[in-house]
Amino acid sequence: MNIVQPPPPVLSPELLARFAAIVGEKYAVTDPHDAAPYLTEERGLFQGHSPLVLRPGSTAEVSAICKLATETRTALVPQGGNTGLVGGQTPHNGEVVISTRRLDKIRAVDTQSNAMTVEAGVILANAQQRATDADRLFPLSLGAEGSCTIGGNLSTNAGGIAALAYGVARDLVLGLEVVLADGRIMHGLSSLKKDNTGYDLRDLFIGAEGTLGIITAATLKMFPKPRSVETAFAAIASPEDALTLLDMSRNIAAGSLTSFELIPQIAIDFTVKHGPSIRAPLSGRHPWYVLMEISSPRDDARDTIEAILGKGMEDGIVNDAVIAANLDQRAAFWKLREVISPAQKPEGGSIKHDISVPVAAVPDFLREADAAVTKLIPGARPFAFGHLGDGNIHYNVSQPIGADMADYLARWHDMNDVVHAVVAKHGGSISAEHGIGVLKRDELPNVKDPVALDIMRSIKHLLDPLNILNPGKVL
C-alpha cells in the first residue's frame, strides 16, 4: 500500500479564519516575522513555509482543529519545541502548523504510584524539576532539555544520556492522551504498571513523529531520587578499552551506572577552541575519553566510582582520570558534552549520522567507518561520540580543513551511503534516537524489513486515511 501525498494546500482566507477561530486570534500566527521561528530548525538544514501557525491551549482545541482539517482535507504538521534534527517538525509544503507549546500544564504528580501526568508542551527541564520538587527523578535527559517538549520527545522516542540505566522515552511512558486525524480523542492516561486489556496502542504513537496522531498529554514514570551522584572523566587509548571499562563498570556498579559517554580528542579540541569557557578536564592529550556517572540510592557512589577507576588504572585501561570535586565541576563536565555538537559548526560543514550498532560492534564500526569516509573524501575528519552504553553513536564527519562547505555538504548522501553500509554490515540502525522525518525517509525502504514497512503503511492508512497528519514524513 502506497501513501498518497496530498497536493500542496491552497487555503482560502475564509478557511484560515475558521481555523483561527478555534484557538482565538491571539493564538493564530499569520505574520511572517512571528511565524519564522516555527518554520526553520536549529541547524538551518530545513526551511519550511506555512500560512498559519495555530497554538491551541487545550486538547479540545486540538480535536477541533483535526475535525476541521479532516472536513477540508487540510494537511497539518504537529510541532513541539522545534528541536528535531531530521525535518519532521517542519512544514515543507505549506501545511498548517499546530504548535503544542501552550499545552504546558503538569496535571498531576503521584509519588505513591511514581507517576506524573503532563501535557505535551511541557518543557523537558520543567518536568525534570517538578519530579525533583517531589523528591523523585524523571531521568530523560538530553542537550535540548531546556527547550524541547515532552510531546516532541515522545513523538521521536528521544534517547539521551541516561538511556543506559532507564531506557529511552518509550520506556518512561505509562499512558497517553492522543488526538486522532478525525478529531477523536484516545483517553489513555493510565498510571497502571500492569494492564493486559488488549493491544498496547500507546506504543503506536511513540516514535511515530506525529504521523498517526497528535500526543496531547502523557503519564510518565518517576523514580526514587538518587542519594549520591558521582561523575568522572577518564582518558583511554581506544574504543576497545572503553568497552572493557564499560563491562568493568557494570560489574562493579550494577544498576547504579547511569551514563557512559564516549568522546574523542577531536571533540575536546573543538569544544575548548569554540565552546563558551570550556576547559579540558585532563592535562595532556589522549585518543579517547569516557564521561561516566554513578547514581546510587545509597551514599556509596564515591566508593563505587573510585573502585572502577582504580581497577581500570591497575589493569592498564584507564590512563588518567578525574572525579568531579563539586557540583560546579560536574556541571562543567556535562557542559563540555552538551556543546560538542555546536562546537563543530565553526569548523565548517558537518555531515551527521545518528546510528546504533550492537555495543560489542562499536570499535569495529568506528574503524571501518573512519576508513570508508576518508577514502570517499580525503581529509575528512571523523568525529564520533555518544552513548557507548547502548551502542548509539553520533557519527559526524567534519569537512577537510580549507574545503568549500557547500561542495562538501553536497556529498551528504554519498557520505550517508558509505556510513550506513557499515551500519548495515553490523546489524545496526540508521536512526537511533532522532527519528526519520524527511532526512532519512527515502533511505528507510532500503533498511526496513519490507513486511514491517507494509504494516507501517497499513497502520498509517487506517488511522489517517486522508494523510493529513505530517504528510511526507517517515513514509
Side-chain angles (χ1 to χ4, degrees), residues 13 31-32 50 83 111 125 127 146 201 260 278 316 336 354-355 376 385-386 389 418 422 425 435 459 465:
D31 180 83
S50 173
T83 60
T111 55
L201 300 177
F260 199 93
I278 300 294
L336 184 152
D354 163 45
I355 65 91
L376 176 72
F385 66 99
V418 299
V422 182
K425 174 184 175 183
I459 293 171

Side-chain angles (χ1 to χ4, degrees), residues 22-24 27 55-66 102:
I22 294 172
V23 299
Y27 301 112
R55 302 180 64 233
S58 69
T59 300
E61 290 182 356
V62 176
S63 173
I65 293 168
C66 288
R102 287 184 61 228

Side-chain angles (χ1 to χ4, degrees), residues 109-126:
V109 175
D110 181 352
T111 55
Q112 291 186 317
S113 298
N114 275 333
M116 173 173 55
T117 299
V118 307
E119 293 183 341
V122 170
I123 301 296
L124 174 55
N126 294 343

Side-chain angles (χ1 to χ4, degrees), residues 30-70:
T30 57
D31 180 83
H33 180 268
D34 294 337
Y38 301 90
L39 305 181
T40 187
E41 44 81 59
E42 60 183 34
R43 291 191 307 193
L45 194 61
F46 300 103
Q47 177 68 51
H49 60 99
S50 173
L52 181 64
V53 177
L54 298 173
R55 302 180 64 233
S58 69
T59 300
E61 290 182 356
V62 176
S63 173
I65 293 168
C66 288
K67 286 178 182 177
L68 180 57
T70 294

Side-chain angles (χ1 to χ4, degrees), residues 273-312:
K273 182 178 179 182
H274 303 297
S277 303
I278 300 294
R279 297 178 57 188
L282 296 168
S283 60
R285 296 173 60 81
H286 304 270
W288 294 90
Y289 302 84
V290 164
L291 173 57
M292 61 186 298
E293 192 159 275
I294 304 292
S295 305
S296 176
R298 299 172 295 277
D299 294 325
D300 61 356
R302 184 78 180 194
D303 292 341
T304 301
I305 207 164
E306 286 179 349
I308 292 168
L309 296 175
K311 181 167 177 52

